[in-house]
Amino acid sequence: MHVPELETGLTELARVLKPGGRLILGENNAASCDVVALESLIRLLKRLMGRSVPERRYSDRGIEEWVVADVGGLMVRKTNMQFLDRFLYGMGLRKVDHMAAQFTEVYTRLPSRALKLSIYWLNRVYFKHIGAPKFALGNIIIFEKG
């Protein structure tokens, strides 16, 4: 999620993986409720309040946001999971598992410990009882080299 040259990195990982080896990725999901609804709302509110929002680029890989600071920049990708599947399949890897890691990261924007704890609880409940990666922000995807 932080590698700007995604295809280069994935190609190298696939190259050095031995047959039968597994590649485990943790990625932010571009189709998650967090990205589709919450982030869109936050970006709109920031614009209405005259605050800056990170540069956002859309591509087949997903949504990439660049945050720039005095000491440098950081790219965060919300990955298009279908792109990831297709690309790694083309590199000789097949997906063997895909699971939710966490439903939301909204706790990072909350002011109180009690509110944060409620989101931690929501993440645990989602992971334990629902677990569908399609709606979750954090996804863990496991690929195996043929």
Side-chain angles (χ1 to χ4, degrees), residues 63-134:
I63 303 166
E64 296 174 351
E65 289 186 349
W66 290 84
V67 180
V68 180
D70 294 338
V71 294
L74 174 69
M75 188 276 299
V76 178
R77 180 180 306 101
K78 284 79 172 188
T79 304
N80 175 335
M81 295 300 161
Q82 291 78 27
F83 166 82
L84 192 61
D85 290 349
R86 285 190 311 269
F87 188 83
L88 288 173
Y89 183 79
M91 296 284 108
L93 282 75
R94 65 178 180 86
K95 182 168 61 176
V96 294
D97 205 355
H98 187 176
M99 64 196 83
Q102 66 178 356
F103 180 68
T104 181
E105 282 186 346
V106 73
Y107 57 84
T108 63
R109 297 179 172 105
L110 296 175
S112 77
R113 179 166 166 73
L115 289 172
K116 289 178 187 220
L117 288 173
S118 68
I119 299 302
Y120 298 152
W121 175 84
L122 172 66
N123 278 333
R124 282 193 304 274
V125 168
Y126 187 86
F127 185 76
K128 185 174 181 180
H129 298 290
I130 300 170
K134 180 177 181 176

